[in-house]
Amino acid sequence: MRKQILVALFSLFLLPSLSADVVNYGNFVGTNVHFNGVSESSSSIGNGAGQVSALFGAPTVLANMLIFNPTQFEANQAGTGIDLTDGQLSMTIVGQAGFQITGVIVDEFGDYTIANPFAGGAGFVNASANGFATTGAGTFSNGFDFSASNNVPTGVFNIPWFGGMAINFGPSGSVTFTMDNTLVAAAQTATDASFIKKKGVKITIITSNIPEPASAVFGLALLAGCLVYRKR
């Protein structure tokens, strides 16, 4: 509940100035799928003060996985207040000849620090994501939500966090996939500081072979029967 209140207040404060920029990474070829139109967008991307060139960064491909190694996707709050960073990934995934898509799996990780050196201080961090896969049968979704807080003097430092989701659906030749990612860091007093960073994102596409048409299977069986008969 605390996280929702903090995010809502900060979002209302920033709403009039948001204008997202888009970074296009193009197309990538996996073992059984094509990743087309891979892009990211965020109000944090740009040339202004406090903005970065990209949050996720350009991906690499391994088998049917698209792998991102973010270096600038973080939320950092020193002193009373809250910092929120939000970014969206978008792409269309198309099965190669003979393959269909049945699911998308997302795995993410990073680390966080909550420093509150004096009694009475506190800090909070959160990492969350929601993924949406749209096929001819509709839109399917899932997500994850990680939160941590600390009010013990000294704090916690360089603690790893992990998040993941699986979106399953009926076999489809293509899927439009989007994912919203948010990091939040909050500090209670002027001497507190909270920091959370995203360091890795892996998107794995689940595929299966397209079944042979029943007519083709029947034809092969008939041909096999004829060959056996001729041998006799």
Side-chain angles (χ1 to χ4, degrees), residues 10-205:
F10 190 74
S11 299
L12 288 173
F13 179 74
L14 284 188
L15 192 59
S17 62
L18 294 181
S19 59
D21 283 328
V22 177
V23 179
N24 294 303
Y25 296 113
N27 304 327
F28 300 84
V29 180
T31 303
N32 301 332
V33 297
H34 293 276
F35 299 92
N36 295 335
V38 179
S39 67
E40 66 167 301
S41 62
S42 174
S43 59
S44 297
I45 297 173
N47 299 317
Q51 292 184 306
V52 297
S53 58
L55 293 177
F56 292 92
T60 58
V61 179
L62 177 62
N64 292 321
M65 296 183 293
L66 206 58
I67 301 172
F68 297 85
N69 295 290
T71 59
Q72 303 179 100
F73 202 151
E74 61 187 51
N76 189 353
Q77 180 62 39
T80 306
I82 180 170
D83 183 34
L84 182 151
T85 302
D86 182 79
Q88 183 184 75
L89 276 178
S90 300
M91 68 192 75
T92 299
I93 306 149
V94 180
Q96 295 189 32
F99 293 94
Q100 56 194 354
I101 303 164
T102 60
V104 179
I105 297 175
V106 178
D107 295 289
E108 299 193 5
F109 69 91
D111 61 25
Y112 69 91
T113 289
I114 302 175
N116 40 286
F118 304 107
F124 169 85
V125 294
N126 174 265
S128 62
N130 288 296
F132 303 88
T134 301
T135 72
T139 298
F140 306 83
S141 64
N142 205 346
F144 72 80
D145 188 281
F146 166 84
S147 293
S149 60
N150 185 72
N151 61 2
V152 178
T154 68
V156 292
F157 304 89
N158 301 315
I159 307 299
W161 64 265
F162 301 91
M165 71 179 83
I167 306 174
N168 300 306
F169 40 82
S172 178
S174 66
V175 178
T176 299
F177 179 70
T178 61
M179 182 171 66
D180 295 312
N181 273 229
T182 303
L183 296 182
V184 177
Q188 181 171 295
T189 74
T191 56
D192 298 331
S194 295
F195 171 83
I196 184 167
K197 186 169 187 175
K198 191 186 304 291
K199 292 187 172 181
V201 178
K202 181 175 69 175
I203 300 174
T204 304
I205 309 305

